[in-house]
Amino acid sequence: MPFVTKKPSYYFSALEDDTTEPLHVGLYLAESSINDERANDLMSLGRAIRQTSRPIRCLWLRFRDGGESLLEAFGAFGEELIGAATIQSLVFEGKVGTAEVGCLRGFLTQNELRGLQFRRTDADASTFTILRPLFSYSTHIK
């Protein structure tokens, strides 16, 4: 079981390190309502991931019963990730559906992920419709 945290700020110093050692980033997104501080931390983490040169072996996103405010904050996180080139693989786990995957649409279409996993999710056919361009045009996904 990978390490996941509710505190995006946990990774800030590791992302600033000037090292080539790969990092695992795991987020547990479980609040039904999210406060402004946590929403800002998620946006800051997305920005830090986009700006780091440190390789991120895996971005693990574990969801549980999120509300509208969590989805809004996660959408802002996804916007900050657009252009991030250091993430090698992405894992969605838990209560993930079309809305959550849609928040990362821009990131997914502009990234060269080597792997993408869905573990115990609520994903359905509409979720994978969003991913069709990624699967159709990517030469990197294994």
Side-chain angles (χ1 to χ4, degrees):
M1 203 55 126
F3 173 77
V4 293
T5 181
K6 290 183 178 182
K7 298 180 180 181
S9 58
Y10 175 84
Y11 294 105
F12 291 165
S13 62
L15 289 167
E16 291 173 359
D17 286 349
D18 188 23
T19 180
T20 59
E21 183 180 332
L23 179 65
H24 169 93
V25 175
L27 292 176
Y28 184 55
L29 303 159
E31 294 88 351
S32 56
S33 67
I34 189 168
N35 63 28
D36 288 342
E37 180 182 353
R38 179 130 151 76
N40 288 334
D41 279 353
L42 270 173
M43 283 181 22
S44 296
L45 178 62
R47 188 175 312 113
I49 289 172
R50 186 184 71 235
Q51 294 173 347
T52 190
S53 60
R54 186 172 184 177
I56 298 172
R57 180 159 294 146
C58 180
L59 174 58
W60 193 291
L61 303 170
R62 182 179 296 161
F63 287 86
R64 191 186 108 214
D65 297 331
E68 260 186 58
S69 61
L70 177 61
L71 195 57
E72 185 178 317
F74 186 65
F77 170 76
E79 288 178 20
E80 289 292 342
L81 282 180
I82 295 173
T86 58
I87 300 172
Q88 297 171 359
S89 67
L90 176 63
V91 176
F92 287 102
E93 180 183 13
K95 297 280 186 179
V96 176
T98 305
E100 291 80 9
V101 174
C103 289
L104 295 184
R105 183 181 305 176
F107 164 73
L108 290 169
T109 58
Q110 295 184 14
N111 197 288
E112 296 182 357
L113 290 173
R114 294 184 62 203
L116 178 63
Q117 287 186 30
F118 287 83
R119 302 174 68 100
R120 299 181 301 270
T121 67
D122 297 334
D124 59 12
S126 63
T127 304
F128 293 101
T129 301
I130 291 173
L131 296 170
R132 183 174 289 138
L134 174 68
F135 292 131
S136 299
Y137 304 114
S138 177
T139 59
H140 306 284
I141 291 206
K142 295 182 179 187

